[in-house]
Structure formats: structure tokens, C-alpha cells
Amino acid sequence: MEGVLSYNNQEHHHQEQQQQPKIKKNKNIKLGLLLLNCLLLSVGQVGGPLLLRLYYLHGGQRKWLTSWLQTAAFPILLIPLFASWSNKSRSQSSTNSNPSSTKQKFLLNPKLFIASAILGTLIGLDSFLFALGLSYLPVSTSALLMATQLAFTSVFALLLVKQKFTPYSINSVVLLTLGSIILGLHTSGDRPVGVSNGQYFLGFFMTLGAAALLGFILPSVEFAYAKACKVITYDLVIQMQFLVSMFATLLCTIAMIINKDFQAISREAKEYGLGEAKYYMVLIGAAILMQSMLVGNLGVIFCSTSLFSGVLLALLLPVQQIFAIIFFNEKFNAEKGMSLALSFWGFASYFYGEYKQTKKNNKLIISMTTHQHQEFPNVV
Ligand SMILES: Nc1nc2[nH]cnc2c(=O)[nH]1
């Protein structure tokens, strides 16, 4: 008996040793994916709205066109999708493994398909609200209203995915919200020229609506992943991103057709302040960057949580202002500096909380494994 136990112990130890590098490798892959998605989200969220603003600044007026641009670059997702498919079929043919699984290219079940359609329609609507706000409001007011986005995300994350809050994450939400409010409170760049009272208030409520809607969408994505009844892989996430963007683009395309926006593009290009070629470059650049933002967003939620994605978006608000200072010669003032400092502090607080939690979880796993190993040496 003792021999069997010690044999099983040895075997268990051997398997544990074998699994450890695998677990570590998976952890590293997930960390790499998280960093990549943070980068995609950051580049898109800073650059995309700046290019949309550049479109409005030099004569662009089409709201549904700018909404459409926020998701229309979704066909570029076919590149990673085809790369992954061909990679899989190559590795399967080389190992001669189950050929039927090669056919399983479409990973979404009906539940996820419906979720993607609903989320896509909501994102299309959010894009319109966001685009309208961007055209009627000064940057400062827009930032002030966008400050509420993280609060909305936190509340919906609590309701939908039972997000656990720690003193660090609460501190982070408060600091980041405060940072964005300070950003909005400076009154220098008030109502843009040519914007009427009515348009100003429309922009105000539309931006608030966009903040609330995205605050709802982010935890809903996490909710959809959790309720999918399926293991969520990154391949599946890209397929979902493709569908979500496709449905959002469909909504905006219908609105553009009704509004006769497609016919207006060439006319607008000819009259654009920076010239025709730059007009198209701005549109294409905005579309690619906004797609990058969406892909990064859904990816960050997959690797982490919707709350983290909301925290990152809030941090990027003052960073966007810094880039506006660099590229649009906007003024830098004390409020912008203070907002940036508070946002970095909030972000650092969130990270420290996560770091402490991960350390605690790791300790718990180690002590549980050792305990289980001592109590049930035969259990692998
Ligand atoms: N609501 C909302 N929509 C967006 N679309 C692109 N960026 C944003 C954002 O920060 N908030």
C-alpha cells in the first residue's frame, strides 16, 4: 500500500512538474494578449477620436458617416481569422489529427451569435451618440460628460457580472472620475462656432447617453462571455468582434443610405479644408484606429474585466488631451496637468490592487494544492 501511495505521490509530483511550465506558458500568453489589446485600445482611443475631430474641424458634417467609420474597418479582422484557420489546418494536417475539427471554423454558438447581434446594434447606436456629441460639444464639455462613463461601467459591472470591488479599485474609480471632471471644468474652449443652443443641448444629452450606453455595453460583453456555455478562446473573441462590428456597421449603413450620406462623400471631399486626398486619409485612418479601439476593448475584457477596460478608457481621456495639445495646438493648463496626474494615480491604485489580489490568489492556490496533496495523495 505504502508503495502504491509513494508511487502515486511520485507520479502526482511528476505531473505537477510537467503541468507547471504549461500553466506558466498559458499565463504568459494571456499576459501578452492583454498587453497587445491594451496597446490596440490605447492607440485607437487616443488617435481615433482625434481624427474624427479633425474631420469636423475642417468642414466634415456627416454624423452617420463618422458613426459608420467607427466600425466599418471590420473586414481587416479577416486577416487574423484566416491566419488562425490556416495555422490550425496546417498543424492538424501535419499531426494527422481529427479532420472533422478542421471543419469547426465557426466557433460561435447561437447564443453568442444573438449576443453579438444585440451588442453590435448597441455599439452602432453608441457610435452615433458619440459622433454627434463630438460634433456639437467643445472638447472640455465632452470630457466632463465622458467622465461619467467609468461610473456607469462600475454600476453595470456590479449588477451584471457581480464585479468585486476592493478599496483600491474604488479609489481608482473615484480618482479617475475626478480627473476627468477636472478636465471638463476648465472653460476655455466653450461652444464651438456655429453651434446653436439646441444643438449644444442635443450634443450634451447624446454624449451623456453614449457614456451610459458604453458603460452598459462593456459589462454586457463580459456577461455574454460568462453565459456563453462554451470555453471562450481568443479565436472566438475575434469572430465575435467581427460580427459585433458587422452588425454595428449594418445599422449605420442603413442610416447613411436613408440620409444620402454616401452620395455626399465626394462633394464633401472636394470642399474639405485640408484638401481631397487628406479628406480620404482622415476617413481611412479614423476607421482603422476606431476598429483598433473596439478590438482592443473586447480583447481586454476577454483577458481581464470590463471594469479594467473602463479604467483604461478613463485614463486615456487626459492622454487624448495631451495629444490634442501636440497636434491641434490646444492650450495646456493646470487643470489638464492635474487631471493627468489624478488619472495616473487612479490607474496605479487599480494596478496595485490587482497585483495584491493576484499574489493572494497565487498563495491560496499553492496552499490548496499542498493541502489537497497531503490529504488526498491519490488525487491528481
Ligand atoms: N461612449 C463612447 N463611445 C466611444 N466611441 C469611441 N470612444 C468612445 C468612448 O470613449 N465612449
Side-chain angles (χ1 to χ4, degrees):
M1 184 72 182
E2 207 183 306
V4 173
L5 278 184
S6 74
Y7 171 74
N8 278 338
N9 264 342
Q10 272 176 8
E11 192 185 34
H12 177 81
H13 187 65
H14 181 64
Q15 282 185 351
E16 227 176 38
Q17 270 186 335
Q18 269 189 331
Q19 276 188 345
Q20 257 172 7
K22 211 171 159 188
I23 292 169
K24 205 168 171 193
K25 195 178 158 201
N26 281 347
K27 247 184 171 175
N28 285 344
I29 290 175
K30 202 145 190 189
L31 184 68
L33 264 184
L34 178 64
L35 290 178
L36 174 71
N37 281 296
C38 285
L39 187 73
L40 287 174
L41 170 62
S42 306
V43 171
Q45 180 66 355
V46 172
L50 286 184
L51 281 186
L52 291 182
R53 209 178 304 155
L54 193 65
Y55 163 82
Y56 287 129
L57 231 61
H58 295 279
Q61 284 179 343
R62 298 276 153 176
K63 316 293 182 293
W64 276 109
L65 170 64
T66 41
S67 317
W68 183 81
L69 284 175
Q70 293 182 49
T71 49
F74 71 92
I76 51 177
L77 290 176
L78 288 173
I79 301 169
L81 279 177
F82 278 122
S84 163
W85 283 340
S86 69
N87 207 6
K88 257 193 206 149
S89 49
R90 221 179 312 126
S91 70
Q92 265 166 7
S93 62
S94 71
T95 53
N96 252 348
S97 64
N98 184 11
S100 67
S101 57
T102 326
K103 284 185 200 137
Q104 229 195 339
K105 283 180 178 165
F106 300 100
L107 303 167
L108 274 79
N109 55 20
K111 240 181 175 175
L112 279 174
F113 186 88
I114 293 169
S116 305
I118 296 171
L119 287 169
T121 311
L122 290 179
I123 285 180
L125 208 62
D126 171 79
S127 301
F128 178 66
L129 298 179
F130 185 70
L132 205 75
L134 218 58
S135 71
Y136 289 146
L137 291 184
V139 180
S140 52
T141 315
S142 168
L144 177 65
L145 295 170
M146 276 300 159
T148 57
Q149 193 163 283
L150 181 58
F152 282 119
T153 308
S154 306
V155 171
F156 286 120
L158 187 72
L159 294 177
L160 286 174
V161 290
K162 310 274 179 288
Q163 172 72 47
K164 299 256 182 317
F165 284 87
T166 62
Y168 296 103
S169 55
I170 293 171
N171 186 36
S172 154
V173 169
V174 172
L175 287 172
L176 282 158
T177 308
L178 212 67
S180 310
I181 288 175
I182 288 176
L183 189 67
L185 282 182
H186 81 100
T187 48
S188 52
D190 221 349
R191 194 174 318 170
V193 263
V195 172
S196 71
N197 243 344
Q199 285 174 330
Y200 185 86
F201 281 107
L202 187 68
F204 191 96
F205 288 109
M206 293 292 175
T207 307
L208 197 61
L213 193 54
L214 200 74
F216 171 73
I217 291 170
L218 299 180
S220 301
V221 172
E222 194 177 341
F223 183 75
Y225 289 161
K227 298 282 170 195
C229 304
K230 205 170 169 31
V231 177
I232 306 288
T233 60
Y234 195 60
D235 275 358
L236 188 145
V237 170
I238 299 180
Q239 290 188 10
M240 208 167 143
Q241 283 162 347
F242 185 89
L243 274 185
V244 164
S245 299
M246 194 185 79
F247 280 109
T249 310
L250 191 68
L251 177 85
C252 298
T253 306
I254 294 169
M256 275 183 79
I257 292 171
I258 295 170
N259 253 343
K260 299 195 171 35
D261 276 353
F262 285 109
Q263 292 95 311
I265 292 177
S266 61
R267 192 171 359 108
E268 219 177 47
K270 286 194 186 81
E271 293 162 5
Y272 191 60
L274 298 175
E276 201 170 346
K278 287 231 172 86
Y279 175 85
Y280 290 110
M281 274 161 65
V282 168
L283 295 196
I284 294 169
I288 293 172
L289 286 169
M290 293 308 279
Q291 189 62 44
S292 162
M293 177 263 179
L294 189 60
V295 166
N297 223 332
L298 300 201
V300 165
I301 298 172
F302 164 69
C303 300
S304 177
T305 59
S306 52
L307 181 66
F308 179 59
S309 151
V311 164
L312 200 54
L313 284 174
L315 171 76
L316 293 170
L317 219 52
V319 176
Q320 203 185 68
Q321 304 302 309
I322 302 298
F323 277 86
I325 290 162
I326 298 168
F327 291 109
F328 296 151
N329 290 327
E330 286 185 9
K331 280 194 209 96
F332 185 80
N333 54 27
E335 288 95 334
K336 286 184 185 178
M338 216 152 96
S339 164
L340 194 66
L342 278 175
S343 299
F344 276 126
W345 181 13
F347 198 64
S349 166
Y350 185 85
F351 253 109
Y352 185 66
E354 285 298 292
Y355 169 73
K356 275 191 85 159
Q357 192 61 38
T358 313
K359 245 178 125 179
K360 210 166 130 188
N361 288 350
N362 283 349
K363 259 190 194 161
L364 200 71
I365 290 169
I366 290 169
S367 81
M368 268 168 68
T369 320
T370 336
H371 192 66
Q372 197 181 47
H373 191 72
Q374 281 165 354
E375 263 191 48
F376 311 104
N378 287 341
V379 178
V380 177

